[in-house]
Amino acid sequence: LAQGVTGTLPNANFSGGKIGQVLQVSTKTHTTTNSTSYVDCTNMSLNITPTATSSKILAIANFAGLFAGGTDLDAIRLRIVRDSTEIGKLNNVLYKTNDDEILTCVPLTSLDSPSSSSQLTYKLQMESRLSNDVQINADGGSDTSLTLMEVLA
């Protein structure tokens, strides 16, 4: 750190980067699938209408109580989608060669540029790597959440 620095800083006139709106959904609802195609996580959908086409949407997901059972080499794949467009993905969470595991929380963050001022739907999805049961909120006490923040241009 600088020491002995004195003077007056000029007024900064920052534009952009301000948060326009914040929305959140969370659930303890247990979701299980053995599908190798993405399925929606129960109660994990959120609508947002950007105030301008220049806005960005910061999507922050926290997947809780993850479980991958079945055979060795199984795993969960997780993603955030806007309408039908994938904006963030985690592959092979809990990939293993040992016993069943529950992982407390896995974050996934993505900054999206939808170029829209119409209503958008963001949701969390999951799939199984090997057609065995995979779950979120498997521990019964954790909350999976999705937070959307509109970042103004």
Side-chain angles (χ1 to χ4, degrees), residues 29-116:
T29 303
H30 186 122
T31 302
T32 301
T33 188
N34 60 10
S35 175
T36 55
S37 298
Y38 281 99
V39 298
D40 294 347
C41 297
T42 305
N43 300 329
M44 293 310 305
S45 177
L46 198 54
N47 295 325
I48 189 169
T49 303
T51 57
T53 58
S54 57
S55 293
K56 296 182 185 299
I57 304 297
L58 179 62
I60 305 166
N62 283 298
F63 293 89
L66 299 172
F67 174 81
T71 63
D72 288 347
L73 308 179
D74 206 355
I76 305 171
R77 294 180 177 145
L78 305 167
R79 71 179 184 174
I80 303 171
V81 294
R82 173 191 15 95
D83 298 323
S84 60
T85 302
E86 180 180 277
I87 65 161
K89 176 169 64 174
L90 290 170
N91 277 326
N92 299 327
V93 177
L94 289 176
Y95 181 83
K96 60 188 172 39
T97 57
N98 55 14
D99 295 333
D100 297 345
E101 296 180 49
I102 292 182
L103 189 60
T104 307
C105 186
V106 174
L108 174 58
T109 302
S110 182
L111 184 61
D112 187 27
S113 300
S115 299
S116 175

Side-chain angles (χ1 to χ4, degrees), residues 112-126:
D112 187 27
S113 300
S115 299
S116 175
S117 58
S118 299
Q119 179 177 288
L120 305 167
T121 300
Y122 288 80
K123 55 188 171 180
L124 303 184
Q125 295 184 328
M126 61 189 278

